[in-house]
Amino acid sequence: MLELRDITAGYERRRPVVSGVSLTVGPGESVGLLGPSGCGKSTLARVAALLHRPDAGTVTVDGVTAPGWRHRAPRALRTSFGVVFQQPRLSADPRLRLADLIAEPLRATGRRTEAASAVAELAPAVGLTADLLTRRPHEVSDGQLQRACLARALVLEPRWLICDEMTAMLDASTTAALVAVVEGYRARTGAGLLAVGHDRTLLERWCDRTVRWADLGAERGTVPPPG
């Protein structure tokens, strides 16, 4: 179970973006979080993935209350999440070839020897050909780069996936392809999913249930920075 309880978070302590929000995602469940741009849903997603420390509230993952965020979270806890952001060019190191981008989490966790085999397995699964793997972000399209970012999110085989507006910049065919990859992974592993977006039709077709931001009792604060 992924549980967010009474989360208050923002970028200035006295001007929260999110106030007193609670949300749960059950094991193997897919939950869509629907809300307009600037409402705070991306901030909540970052809190859920242990990437942003809240000002108040708790995040509990599989019965363990998170004791810290980002590098202060235990490795086993933080690597239980795979995250795909809205803007791949802001979340990808422009110096890395796509193969190295996908393998980056393995190298960061001391599993460098697994990189080649993992990339070879994941690249075709997300629709990347061998020639694309040798290119850097500026040499590929947004859709191709987002495919690599999704592969990067899956490479450690996380138990929880956070897709924050993953398809907002993509065309319909690429959107369908990436959603299919996520669902294939979830069917194989039983991973839970929090999918954040503003496309009601997509979320309702994709997820087991969709929660509207307005129904969370959230209080809109300042508009968060992009991403």
Side-chain angles (χ1 to χ4, degrees), residues 100-162:
D100 297 323
L101 175 70
I102 295 169
E104 190 177 15
L106 289 170
R107 294 191 172 96
T109 53
R111 297 165 58 182
R112 183 180 298 269
T113 58
E114 302 173 39
S117 60
V119 171
E121 179 180 352
L122 277 169
V126 299
L128 291 175
T129 56
D131 64 305
L132 290 173
L133 293 176
T134 65
R135 301 181 189 179
R136 290 179 170 80
H138 72 277
E139 298 173 313
V140 299
S141 69
D142 287 342
Q144 291 164 340
L145 184 55
Q146 192 70 306
R147 290 172 188 269
C149 289
L150 175 56
R152 178 182 61 183
L154 299 179
V155 75
L156 294 181
E157 298 199 333
R159 299 193 307 276
W160 301 96
L161 289 173
I162 309 292

Side-chain angles (χ1 to χ4, degrees), residues 61-90:
V61 185
D62 299 325
V64 177
T65 299
W69 274 260
R70 298 185 71 87
H71 63 280
R72 292 185 174 86
R75 175 181 290 181
L77 193 59
R78 68 176 184 264
T79 58
S80 66
F81 288 92
V83 185
V84 189
F85 299 100
Q86 175 181 354
Q87 300 185 54
R89 298 196 185 280
L90 296 181

Side-chain angles (χ1 to χ4, degrees), residues 12-227:
E12 298 177 44
R13 183 169 292 275
R14 296 185 180 182
R15 301 182 66 189
V17 175
V18 177
S19 296
V21 171
S22 297
L23 180 67
T24 63
V25 182
E29 184 182 25
S30 56
V31 176
L33 178 56
L34 176 70
S37 297
C39 68
K41 60 188 187 298
S42 291
T43 298
L44 188 67
R46 291 178 65 83
V47 171
L50 307 184
L51 295 175
H52 184 79
R53 185 182 185 91
D55 299 322
T58 59
V59 176
T60 303
V61 185
D62 299 325
V64 177
T65 299
W69 274 260
R70 298 185 71 87
H71 63 280
R72 292 185 174 86
R75 175 181 290 181
L77 193 59
R78 68 176 184 264
T79 58
S80 66
F81 288 92
V83 185
V84 189
F85 299 100
Q86 175 181 354
Q87 300 185 54
R89 298 196 185 280
L90 296 181
S91 62
D93 187 332
R95 301 168 297 178
L96 296 181
R97 298 177 305 137
L98 296 197
D100 297 323
L101 175 70
I102 295 169
E104 190 177 15
L106 289 170
R107 294 191 172 96
T109 53
R111 297 165 58 182
R112 183 180 298 269
T113 58
E114 302 173 39
S117 60
V119 171
E121 179 180 352
L122 277 169
V126 299
L128 291 175
T129 56
D131 64 305
L132 290 173
L133 293 176
T134 65
R135 301 181 189 179
R136 290 179 170 80
H138 72 277
E139 298 173 313
V140 299
S141 69
D142 287 342
Q144 291 164 340
L145 184 55
Q146 192 70 306
R147 290 172 188 269
C149 289
L150 175 56
R152 178 182 61 183
L154 299 179
V155 75
L156 294 181
E157 298 199 333
R159 299 193 307 276
W160 301 96
L161 289 173
I162 309 292
C163 295
D164 181 14
E165 301 271 15
M166 177 182 75
T167 64
M169 301 178 65
L170 307 180
D171 60 33
S173 63
T174 306
T175 293
L178 294 195
V179 168
V181 172
V182 170
E183 288 308 289
Y185 175 80
R186 294 201 325 107
R188 178 171 64 83
T189 65
L193 166 70
L194 176 61
V196 175
H198 59 264
D199 186 334
R200 176 187 294 274
T201 300
L202 173 64
L203 292 181
E204 290 183 346
R205 289 179 177 176
W206 183 3
C207 300
D208 297 327
R209 61 185 174 95
T210 298
V211 179
R212 295 190 309 161
W213 181 261
D215 294 337
L216 291 179
E219 299 176 8
R220 183 172 178 174
T222 57
V223 177

